[in-house]
Amino acid sequence: MHSDGRFLTFGLFVVFILITLGITLWARANTRDADDFYAGGRAFSGPQNGLALAGDYMSAASFLGIAGIIALSGYDGFLYSIGFLVAWLLTLLLVELMRNAGRFTMADVLSYRARRQPRVRTAAAVSTVTVSVFYLLAQMVGAGALVSLLLGIHPGETFLGLSAGSAKVLTIIVVGMMMVFYVTYGGMKGTTWVQIIKAVLLMAGTTVLTVLVLGRFGFNLSDMLGAAAEASGRSADFLQPGLKYGREIEGDPLRTLINKLDFISLAVALVLGTAGLPHIVSRFFTVPDARAARTSVNWAIGLVGLFYLMTLALGFGATAVVGQEAITAQDPAGNTAALQLAHTLGEFAGGPLGGDILLAFIGAVAFATILAVVSGLVLASSTSLAHDYFGHVLMLGRPRESQEVAVARFAAFLVGALAVVLAVVARNLNVAFLVALAFAMAASANLPAIVLSLFWRRFNSTGVVAGIYGGLLGSLLLMAFSPVVSGKIDPATGASLSLLPAGVDFHVFPLENPGLVSIPFGFLCAVAGTLLSREKADQERYDELSVRALTGTGSHRAAHRRPPRRK
């Protein structure tokens, strides 16, 4: 990137930050009570919430990571797009039922029919914060690396006096400050509008790139795929499964079986984990009624489906236009493929300046994507700590609304500060496993409790607590003893491909993603906890919950057995 391009990119970052700051201050002036802070006053229309839902779901990993995996691995990379899209369809089915049954958080649904609400809400808050922090950490470390690349700061170089390492640290701190500001000042209203803007920018940027890259091949998808296969050096194999996942190792049937099981485990975690992500669940509480929720579902399905179809053009287009050698030279993981494609297509259209302008715009979109997602994660965590733990456990369900909102703002500061510290410490680590772990934990801990609460009449609070803690601990322990943490060696170079250095090997679990084992274990814990407990399920509350979940009747009114608030 030219020096002028660096300043252009930096300038667009600043413009986006200023715009979102203004929106957040406006939202603060219109946030008056807990309903406004937690759910945006339930005043967003279906299309608006659909845009925000899509913005919440389409993370930087989706935009940059999937394009990079497709560019380097062909067909196998596109399986990520398919997995995320299938996950979205399942998620919308379950989360709409939860929206009808809850008020602000996942714990509202889980505790609705529980006789021992404090235990359930405490477990739900622990799970919400744990999953969110792991996902948050990966996003923030990714933001540091992204900005360094966008500003062209390589090791030994500087920009505005900043080295690559200093730029990473500063970016993490700035992102942390911004997300805390969005949440503490804007609440759900401010965060929702940031996500709407992000979704519009992301769809616009992705559409521009898709049109430009298809235009290079006469809008003939077959020609683009053929050019990509030829440029990859693998010919037709590039368009066939097996380059990255489920690889068969000649003479080693055990390794072949493990590879196939690992792919299934990853796919299961992605598809099932999305429904348990706390920030996705809370997004449905911002609409006024069930009809608006269904409208937002329709909008979100259309936007997300179109987006993941366009990643096909971005990934294969990057291989055909930029080339794998150039992509891996910039980033071995391929995360800059979409950015390099933008720069190359811009140069084709308008020379060096055109390349810098398009790269700066796509870079600003990627930065906006990260800011929007981390804000949603912090809001989900702070809401759960304030509403579930403080309001219903410590205050026995009788807090003043002003108290609860004040605690939520303070909790946002604590979660943000923790995420910044952890991200600075982990800034040079490969944190891809954190994303996989977050999805596996969400699927193992949250999904069993959600599904069984909605559909099993006998399920009780002991089952909820056992399922959440069993799924969380199971996924964490399996990941700790997996090749992701230790023992995975590059056969060509001997370098460690794990989190810990070569020579440290204590892995006993062969799969890199624990989902295939930890998800059934979470369900098993939930069922066993229910059957072994002497606690009787509240049948009347189950019937009420079923009616509310399926029809939306009475949702958000008298949703909980909660004593009157103290004045």
Side-chain angles (χ1 to χ4, degrees), residues 92-451:
L92 294 178
L93 170 65
L94 281 179
V95 173
E96 185 178 357
L97 294 177
M98 293 180 67
R99 178 261 165 211
N100 291 339
R103 187 166 180 245
F104 295 133
T105 65
M106 176 181 70
D108 286 338
V109 180
L110 301 183
S111 65
Y112 186 90
R113 46 183 294 212
R115 295 184 183 275
R116 301 171 183 173
Q117 287 201 19
R119 293 171 53 192
V120 171
R121 287 188 179 275
T122 300
V126 169
S127 177
T128 295
V129 174
T130 304
V131 172
S132 297
V133 166
F134 273 96
Y135 201 23
L136 188 61
L137 179 57
Q139 296 286 335
M140 294 181 69
V141 172
L146 171 67
V147 171
S148 296
L149 289 170
L150 287 174
L151 297 179
I153 310 175
H154 303 288
E157 300 178 358
T158 61
F159 176 70
L160 296 179
L162 295 173
S163 64
S166 299
K168 284 184 179 180
V169 173
L170 182 60
T171 300
I172 290 170
I173 294 173
V174 169
V175 169
M177 293 171 59
M178 293 301 302
M179 68 185 184
V180 170
F181 181 82
Y182 290 152
V183 173
T184 55
Y185 276 80
M188 181 59 85
K189 282 187 178 180
T191 302
T192 298
W193 280 110
V194 169
Q195 286 160 344
I196 289 173
I197 293 172
K198 166 266 182 95
V200 171
L201 290 175
L202 182 58
M203 292 301 295
T206 308
T207 301
V208 168
L209 287 183
T210 300
V211 170
L212 289 176
V213 73
L214 288 176
R216 293 284 300 172
F217 299 95
F219 293 96
N220 189 316
L221 182 61
S222 179
D223 287 349
M224 184 190 72
L225 294 176
E230 184 177 350
S232 71
R234 300 184 181 94
S235 192
D237 289 343
F238 190 65
L239 305 178
Q240 301 293 328
L243 285 180
K244 184 175 179 65
Y245 301 115
R247 295 175 61 184
E248 297 193 6
I249 309 298
E250 292 186 15
D252 193 346
L254 179 60
R255 185 70 253 174
T256 299
L257 176 62
I258 290 174
N259 287 344
K260 294 183 182 298
L261 290 176
D262 219 354
F263 170 64
I264 295 173
S265 187
L266 174 64
V268 168
L270 289 179
V271 171
L272 299 182
T274 307
L277 291 176
H279 66 298
I280 299 295
V281 173
S282 62
R283 169 59 44 208
F284 269 85
F285 297 130
T286 62
V287 290
D289 51 43
R291 174 177 289 183
R294 286 190 289 273
T295 301
S296 64
V297 166
N298 294 335
W299 273 77
I301 288 176
L303 291 169
V304 171
L306 179 60
F307 171 77
Y308 283 116
L309 281 177
M310 290 192 291
T311 60
L312 178 72
L314 299 187
F316 285 111
T319 305
V321 175
V322 180
Q324 288 186 341
E325 186 175 341
I327 293 171
T328 54
Q330 183 77 14
D331 179 19
N335 291 323
T336 59
L339 302 172
Q340 290 172 273
L341 176 65
H343 192 258
T344 303
L345 292 174
E347 285 185 331
F348 287 153
L353 180 59
D356 288 344
I357 291 174
L358 190 55
L359 175 59
F361 174 68
I362 298 301
V365 168
F367 188 65
T369 297
I370 291 172
L371 277 178
V373 172
V374 296
S375 299
L377 289 165
V378 171
L379 182 61
S381 297
S382 61
T383 299
S384 184
L385 287 172
H387 178 66
D388 297 326
Y389 187 69
F390 174 78
H392 285 82
V393 177
L394 297 183
M395 299 296 291
L396 305 177
R398 299 180 179 181
R400 297 187 184 93
E401 281 195 351
S402 58
Q403 284 180 316
E404 202 170 281
V405 172
V407 170
R409 291 190 167 115
F410 181 68
F413 173 78
L414 290 181
V415 172
L418 175 64
V420 167
V421 171
L422 292 176
V424 168
V425 172
R427 66 187 181 278
N428 294 321
L429 297 180
N430 181 352
V431 294
F433 79 97
L434 292 173
V435 176
L437 179 56
F439 275 83
M441 286 192 300
S444 305
N446 296 342
L447 186 67
I450 292 170
V451 171

Side-chain angles (χ1 to χ4, degrees), residues 4 41 73 118 230 237 280 309 329 362 368 395 464 495-496 498 507 525 542:
D4 291 343
S73 304
E230 184 177 350
D237 289 343
I280 299 295
L309 281 177
I362 298 301
M395 299 296 291
V464 175
S496 174
S498 301
H507 89 277
C525 288
Y542 174 75

